[in-house]
Amino acid sequence: MFKKFKPVTPSLRHLKLLKQNKDFSLNNPLKKVTFHLKKNSGGRNNQGKITSYHKGGGSKKLYRLIDFHRVDSQGLVEKIEYDPNRTGFIGRVFDFKKNTHFYILAPKDLKIGDYIQSGQLASLKNGHTLSLDRIPIGFLIYNISKNPKNKGQFARSAGTFGQLIQKNKGYGRVQLPSGEHRLIKLESLATIGIVSNVDNRFINNGKAGRSRWKNKRPIVRGVAMNPIDHPHGGGEGKTSGGRPSVTPWGKPTKGQSTSKYKKKNSYVLIPAKYKRN
């Protein structure tokens, strides 16, 4: 399951990388659907202020354009490829009718040579994309779209999935990976299965440098700062903060919902804080 490393350094002692059965070294991405992303902004906006924290650096990588919508497509899986921009694997599909190639978010157990189909005529098989009204209750789904015109937005990271648990007039009740129950129109699209690379959550980088390669900068604890920088800062010696955990702006971080849109959104039936066990 994991690669074995001889612990000749402290970082190698705790390093855990998955042993993949697939060889990704020879997989060159398709040139027609790949492009260079804009240079990393380091989480800063057009004023130079940090709006997304703990980002910066990272290795150069090509972005693969994934077909998240999949309204009406079909073809054969040519390769299962690694994508540096996401945790799950992607599948290269050849559409023999249109004579084109495209990428999809690969489900678990997808194999080379499998037939992939989407649309109203698609069958109930792993990796096929259908509307919710054609998917039976209880099926595990991923790449779920909010509306029929939108691309898939829910359950796209490695090993995640949602579940269709109920159907009402015009809406289906879907349990998302966060545990949230949401009403989604039955005309919306979803893909049957679970996102590939299920064991991704067991990876241990082993050292800070490996996180820096992935565009992740260090996170400084609030109790290690000064009072002007964080509510937990200051004090004589090492302190534990002296108050319940809060953000640098004083908002609670544990046990209390910090999102306001869920109170006004009638499509959310059960908020994400009531997670599945």
Side-chain angles (χ1 to χ4, degrees):
M1 184 177 178
F2 296 104
K3 291 182 180 179
K4 292 184 179 180
F5 297 92
K6 189 175 181 180
V8 294
T9 62
S11 61
L12 289 177
R13 185 175 299 277
H14 302 287
L15 179 61
K16 282 186 179 180
L17 297 180
L18 296 178
K19 184 184 292 184
Q20 303 293 350
N21 296 326
K22 310 171 186 63
D23 183 17
F24 297 122
S25 60
L26 302 177
N27 284 346
N28 297 320
L30 294 169
K31 291 186 178 180
K32 291 184 178 180
V33 290
T34 56
F35 55 89
H36 285 281
L37 289 174
K38 186 180 178 181
K39 187 177 180 181
N40 182 23
S41 62
R44 290 165 173 79
N45 61 7
N46 57 358
Q47 298 177 343
K49 298 178 180 178
I50 297 178
T51 56
S52 183
Y53 289 78
H54 317 302
K55 290 188 177 182
S59 304
K60 290 182 179 180
K61 50 192 176 183
L62 284 171
Y63 185 80
R64 281 81 164 162
L65 196 62
I66 311 294
D67 185 6
F68 289 116
H69 206 180
R70 296 184 64 184
V71 179
D72 185 16
S73 62
Q74 57 182 329
L76 295 175
V77 178
E78 287 187 335
K79 288 183 179 180
I80 307 295
E81 297 187 10
Y82 167 78
D83 189 349
N85 302 286
R86 62 196 74 255
T87 52
F89 301 137
I90 58 176
R92 181 193 292 190
V93 181
F94 174 66
D95 192 335
F96 43 82
K97 287 190 175 181
K98 299 179 182 178
N99 197 24
T100 57
H101 293 82
F102 61 93
Y103 281 126
I104 64 168
L105 192 59
K108 180 184 176 184
D109 298 330
L110 185 71
K111 299 177 182 177
I112 297 175
D114 286 353
Y115 177 70
I116 292 295
Q117 190 178 11
S118 61
Q120 294 299 324
L121 300 178
S123 56
L124 295 171
K125 291 185 178 180
N126 185 38
H128 288 205
T129 299
L130 304 89
S131 55
L132 290 180
D133 58 351
R134 296 200 59 238
I135 299 177
I137 294 175
F139 266 47
L140 302 183
I141 52 179
Y142 72 96
N143 191 33
I144 310 162
S145 60
K146 282 185 180 180
N147 297 308
K149 296 182 180 180
N150 291 6
K151 66 178 182 179
Q153 294 172 284
F154 298 123
R156 298 195 331 193
S157 61
T160 58
F161 60 90
Q163 188 173 20
L164 182 61
I165 58 178
Q166 189 180 8
K167 289 184 183 180
N168 299 321
K169 291 183 179 179
Y171 291 90
R173 183 170 178 167
V174 178
Q175 183 173 5
L176 300 178
S178 62
E180 177 180 295
H181 287 209
R182 181 183 283 263
L183 290 178
I184 299 177
K185 291 184 178 180
L186 289 176
E187 294 81 13
S188 300
L189 297 176
T191 307
I192 297 175
I194 304 173
V195 184
S196 54
N197 198 15
V198 178
D199 295 328
N200 179 73
R201 59 194 178 96
F202 297 115
I203 291 177
N204 186 346
N205 287 332
K207 61 180 180 180
R210 193 174 293 274
S211 296
R212 300 300 295 266
W213 301 342
K214 298 179 180 180
N215 189 28
K216 295 180 182 179
R217 297 193 68 247
I219 300 176
V220 180
R221 296 169 298 130
V223 293
M225 299 181 187
N226 292 321
I228 196 173
D229 298 317
H230 200 282
H232 294 170
E236 295 293 332
K238 290 187 176 180
T239 62
S240 58
R243 59 179 293 184
S245 297
V246 294
T247 67
W249 304 275
K251 294 184 179 180
T253 58
K254 296 180 180 178
Q256 184 173 343
S257 178
T258 57
S259 178
K260 295 181 180 179
Y261 84 95
K262 291 172 185 174
K263 298 178 182 178
K264 302 177 182 178
N265 195 337
S266 59
Y267 296 105
V268 177
L269 302 179
I270 300 178
K273 63 179 180 180
Y274 301 103
K275 297 182 70 173
R276 71 176 106 188
N277 294 325

